[in-house]
Amino acid sequence: MTAAASSDADLIAAHAAGDPHAFSELVRRHRDRMWAVALRTLRDPDEAADALQEAFISAFRAAAGFRAESQVTTWLHRIVVNACLDRMRRRQTRPTVPLPEAGPGEPVSPRDAMAERETRLVVQAALNELPEEQRAPIVLVDVEGYSVAETAQLLGIAEGTVKSRCARGRAKLAKVLGHLRNQGADANVPVNDVQVQQGRQLEER
């Protein structure tokens, strides 16, 4: 069986047994998804790249202890999220870095594209203002689509804690972004796929 045809668990086992190519294949499969998680959590490409590198180094070293109690992707997500949270804690005292403007070039529909870009910048800035304990579960549940149970496992906290932190984070986002929601009946506020819903029930998901 070739590396490309092997399951994730097989690759982990092969890596632990000394296969020099198995872990590289695992990284190739999941790098893009893990990068998206890191970037959405940290909101800084340089920080995300560093966190992802740290996470894969940690995974490389810890792979021999993988016990298949969860899926390999869940295991990798947990390592990436933990690496991101570590970096967030280390940079807590640093000033917020302004989000960069889009590159040069005129959009096909200037007014619509500009309004969408400005809206996304406002939303991203609002997400940046959330405490890390609220941002991480919101990214996992609302952006990545994980269930409350899966998010609790990834973050190592109780399901009720995930629900309450998501609820508090959504409430803050809804307050900050309320003016965007009221711009029109057809207004759609993108939160990098997070839909801020006032009154969303804690039991959801």
Side-chain angles (χ1 to χ4, degrees):
M1 180 182 293
T2 64
S6 301
S7 69
D8 289 346
D10 289 338
L11 289 173
I12 287 285
H15 167 68
D19 186 328
H21 306 295
F23 194 80
S24 295
E25 171 63 18
L26 196 68
V27 170
R28 186 194 66 78
R29 288 183 185 182
H30 301 292
R31 179 178 53 236
D32 289 348
R33 182 72 182 272
M34 298 302 120
W35 163 252
V37 171
L39 186 60
R40 285 165 174 164
T41 303
L42 291 169
R43 303 295 173 190
D44 182 305
D46 291 335
E47 288 281 316
D50 288 344
L52 190 62
Q53 182 177 22
E54 291 171 1
F56 278 132
I57 290 173
S58 296
F60 182 91
R61 293 171 175 169
F66 179 72
R67 298 293 181 237
E69 295 174 354
S70 62
Q71 293 186 350
V72 172
T73 51
T74 300
W75 175 73
L76 285 174
H77 267 82
R78 184 184 299 113
I79 293 174
V80 171
V81 169
N82 284 337
C84 289
L85 293 178
D86 285 343
R87 295 195 73 82
M88 288 166 67
R89 282 188 283 269
R90 291 199 294 268
R91 73 178 189 182
Q92 265 186 333
T93 58
R94 302 178 193 172
T96 302
V97 178
L99 289 164
E101 294 291 332
E106 292 296 324
V108 176
S109 303
R111 286 190 297 178
D112 290 345
M114 183 175 295
E116 181 179 347
R117 185 190 67 182
E118 290 176 351
T119 297
R120 289 187 180 278
L121 289 175
V122 170
V123 170
Q124 289 175 0
L127 276 171
N128 288 345
E129 293 302 315
L130 289 179
E132 63 185 52
E133 67 174 17
Q134 294 172 10
R135 188 193 312 163
I138 282 179
V139 166
L140 289 172
V141 174
D142 290 336
V143 178
E144 291 301 312
Y146 280 89
S147 68
V148 167
E150 290 168 331
T151 299
Q153 184 179 19
L154 283 168
L155 297 178
I157 57 180
E159 292 183 24
T161 303
V162 172
K163 292 179 182 179
S164 62
R165 288 181 180 178
C166 283
R168 288 197 298 271
R170 290 172 188 141
K172 290 178 181 178
L173 289 174
K175 183 180 295 184
V176 173
L177 303 175
H179 66 288
L180 296 177
R181 295 177 61 83
N182 295 328
Q183 284 179 349
D186 296 327
N188 181 31
V189 181
V191 190
N192 285 351
D193 299 330
V194 177
Q195 298 302 315
V196 179
Q197 301 180 15
Q198 292 176 322
R200 189 172 182 174
Q201 297 300 315
L202 293 182
E203 291 80 9
E204 182 174 348
R205 295 180 181 270

